[in-house]
Amino acid sequence: MNDTQKQAIREALGLHLSGLSLSQSRFAKRAGVSAALVSQLLNGNWENISEQAWRKIAAAVGYSQGWQAAETTNFKLVTSYCALAQQSGIAKLIAYDAGAGKSFALRQYALHNKNVFYVQCERFFTQKVLLRKLCAAVGVQASGSIAELFDALIDALNTLDKPLVIFDEFDKILGGVFDVFKTLYDATEGRCGFVLCGAVCLREELRRRVDRNKIGYVELFSRCGREFLQLRPITKKDIEAVCVANGITAPEVIAEIVRSLGNGDYRTLRTLVERKKTELLWT
């Protein structure tokens, strides 16, 4: 990582701390580095900061020289769903096809809004692992028993101004682990918002278990307003917006990408755009 990139990360960090009103210590816990390191970076003392630490800071502030966000239909929908849940202190469910841009929009919302905490769920997560991940995101001490982790999280969330917890790929933890959400919701009701997001299988599996009146799932669905928020298929206008945001403005090139994409998704679109940018560099 060169000095120009480091300076850009330093500036992004300063804006991140001021824009979200984060303390250096809380940000450090969220990023997985020491508060002293954050202070050194802000003061321009870079000599002893490792490449790994720079990458952690860059990821935590959303610094990237690569892919840029575009105001697509789904990006705006996810943003509006998150804002509604955060401002109203309610829980919302999003379930839609893979490649619809859900995770990207959720991460961007978390990066650019105050008191928003994003956790990507995995199948191997136990309750304790999920709680520790969330503790790290919130910036509280992630140690002790499950009960102690719950207490620390609940205390922190209840003292923040309109916090929002985002559980992405929530379908991966349907089972005993999803009780983490129910417990946090009940202890922070009306004071903390939640967004639970997953693929189509989240909707199908949750509905199946609700229809069978399986213990816990009716309650979960009720807490989320008994509805699944929908997204939209990618449109030509969305493709154009992504292309322009990422440096491709020639109408004929955009038209070529539209034809190549066909019925593809945002992941395929990103591949096509990156490939075309590389081709243009060598022509």
Side-chain angles (χ1 to χ4, degrees):
M1 192 171 291
N2 59 44
D3 286 346
T4 300
Q5 293 170 319
K6 291 178 180 179
Q7 182 60 39
I9 293 170
R10 179 193 179 193
E11 292 173 1
L13 173 58
L15 290 171
H16 194 74
L17 292 174
S18 61
L20 301 187
S21 302
L22 280 175
S23 68
Q24 292 184 23
S25 60
R26 174 161 284 187
F27 172 82
K29 289 179 180 178
R30 183 184 297 186
V33 298
S34 69
L37 185 145
V38 173
S39 178
Q40 289 173 357
L41 191 154
L42 288 171
N43 290 326
N45 301 322
W46 300 343
E47 292 79 8
N48 298 319
I49 298 179
S50 68
E51 286 292 313
Q52 182 182 25
W54 277 108
R55 287 192 292 271
K56 286 183 177 181
I57 296 291
V61 300
Y63 170 80
S64 174
Q65 288 190 313
W67 197 248
Q68 301 301 313
E71 292 286 315
T72 64
T73 302
N74 284 348
F75 188 92
K76 289 187 281 189
L77 281 172
V78 171
T79 298
S80 67
Y81 295 154
C82 289
L84 174 61
Q86 183 174 15
Q87 293 303 313
S88 303
I90 57 178
K92 289 296 181 182
L93 274 166
I94 302 173
Y96 200 72
D97 297 336
K102 303 184 297 296
S103 295
F104 181 79
L106 291 170
R107 292 191 189 103
Q108 289 295 307
Y109 190 86
L111 283 169
H112 298 293
N113 289 275
K114 183 180 178 181
N115 295 336
V116 181
F117 312 109
Y118 172 94
V119 176
Q120 180 174 312
C121 303
E122 299 293 347
R123 296 191 190 282
F124 62 83
F125 279 8
T126 61
Q127 282 195 5
K128 198 163 191 177
V129 169
L130 181 58
L131 286 167
R132 282 177 171 170
K133 292 285 185 181
L134 188 51
C135 281
V138 175
V140 299
Q141 187 67 35
S143 62
S145 66
I146 288 178
E148 289 170 328
L149 292 174
F150 267 123
D151 286 344
L153 274 172
I154 291 165
D155 286 346
L157 293 174
N158 277 330
T159 57
L160 292 171
D161 179 32
K162 297 185 184 301
L164 176 70
V165 174
I166 299 172
F167 290 115
D168 196 10
E169 301 193 37
F170 191 72
D171 47 296
K172 291 183 177 179
I173 61 167
L174 284 181
V177 180
F178 84 91
D179 285 330
V180 169
F181 158 68
K182 291 197 300 177
T183 301
L184 292 176
Y185 177 94
D186 290 346
T188 63
E189 188 170 1
R191 296 180 295 277
C192 179
F194 295 86
V195 171
L196 316 180
C197 184
V200 174
C201 59
L202 173 61
R203 180 170 67 245
E204 295 173 348
E205 186 63 18
L206 186 52
R207 278 181 172 163
R208 183 178 69 83
R209 299 187 190 199
V210 169
D211 289 343
R212 292 169 57 189
N213 204 28
K214 196 163 183 180
I215 294 175
Y217 290 89
V218 174
E219 293 89 341
L220 184 153
F221 199 35
S222 173
R223 285 165 173 78
C224 296
R226 302 186 65 84
E227 66 173 348
F228 293 93
L229 302 176
Q230 294 293 300
L231 300 182
R232 302 287 185 270
I234 191 170
T235 66
K236 181 180 178 182
K237 186 176 180 180
D238 292 330
I239 298 170
E240 292 172 348
V242 170
C243 288
V244 171
N246 288 279
I248 294 180
T249 57
E252 64 276 11
V253 178
I254 294 175
E256 180 184 342
I257 291 174
V258 171
R259 289 193 298 271
S260 299
L261 183 64
N263 294 321
D265 56 26
Y266 282 98
R267 290 194 181 99
T268 306
L269 175 58
R270 178 168 183 170
T271 299
L272 292 172
V273 170
E274 297 285 17
R275 182 186 302 159
K276 181 55 66 174
K277 287 170 66 177
T278 302
E279 291 175 1
L280 293 173
L281 284 174
W282 295 97
T283 57

